[in-house]
Amino acid sequence: MRVGAAAERVGVAAHVLRHWEDEGVVVPDRTPAGHRVYSDEHLHRLEIVRSCQRVGLSLSQIRLVLHRDAQGRDDVIAQHLEHLRRQRAELDAAEAFLTHVLTCEHDLMSRCERCSAYPGA
């Protein structure tokens, strides 16, 4: 499959696939004329790259994650998991704060101990 068709299938612009190739994330095969050719395996890798991006990994992190034997892979994954867990805790606290604010009976939020106790306040 040529670069334009592969890009359409994955849902990105062709220049994005060229950039990913430049970064060494997914490097397609080449025809004798030099045209990029994406196999089913390349398409599968491209989908994995998109999944990794959706969870917030950078291209340099994705390059490591794609290869099980890459040095530093487990550290990158562990650090990102910790980052996601911190984000989840912050979002849970924000949700609890806003849920309380909806039902808070104080005329001013500053008069409410629960509103004032939110870590972001």
Side-chain angles (χ1 to χ4, degrees):
M1 181 177 299
R2 300 284 283 269
V3 66
E8 185 175 327
R9 187 143 173 213
V10 177
V12 298
H15 72 87
V16 172
L17 296 188
R18 291 184 195 101
H19 177 65
W20 292 356
E21 178 183 1
D22 292 342
E23 294 296 315
V25 178
V26 177
V27 180
D29 297 327
R30 296 281 185 152
T31 67
H35 299 286
R36 292 170 180 85
V37 178
Y38 291 85
S39 67
D40 288 340
E41 174 62 25
H42 290 115
L43 291 172
H44 185 65
R45 281 188 231 160
L46 293 172
E47 291 294 343
I48 296 295
V49 170
R50 295 288 287 148
S51 296
C52 289
Q53 285 182 323
R54 282 191 276 283
V55 300
L57 293 172
S58 68
L59 287 180
S60 61
Q61 291 171 319
I62 293 168
R63 193 172 43 245
L64 284 173
V65 170
L66 285 174
H67 302 286
R68 184 170 179 79
D69 296 334
Q71 186 175 359
R73 177 184 189 259
D74 292 349
D75 290 337
V76 165
I77 294 170
Q79 288 171 5
H80 198 68
L81 279 170
E82 182 57 34
H83 171 73
L84 292 174
R85 289 176 181 135
R86 279 192 309 272
Q87 280 185 317
R88 180 185 301 140
E90 291 169 6
L91 288 171
D92 288 345
E95 180 182 9
F97 170 70
L98 290 174
T99 299
H100 170 74
V101 169
L102 276 174
T103 59
C104 183
E105 295 179 5
H106 290 87
D107 57 340
L108 291 172
M109 289 175 59
S110 58
R111 294 182 181 156
C112 174
E113 286 183 31
R114 285 188 61 195
C115 289
S116 298
Y118 177 68

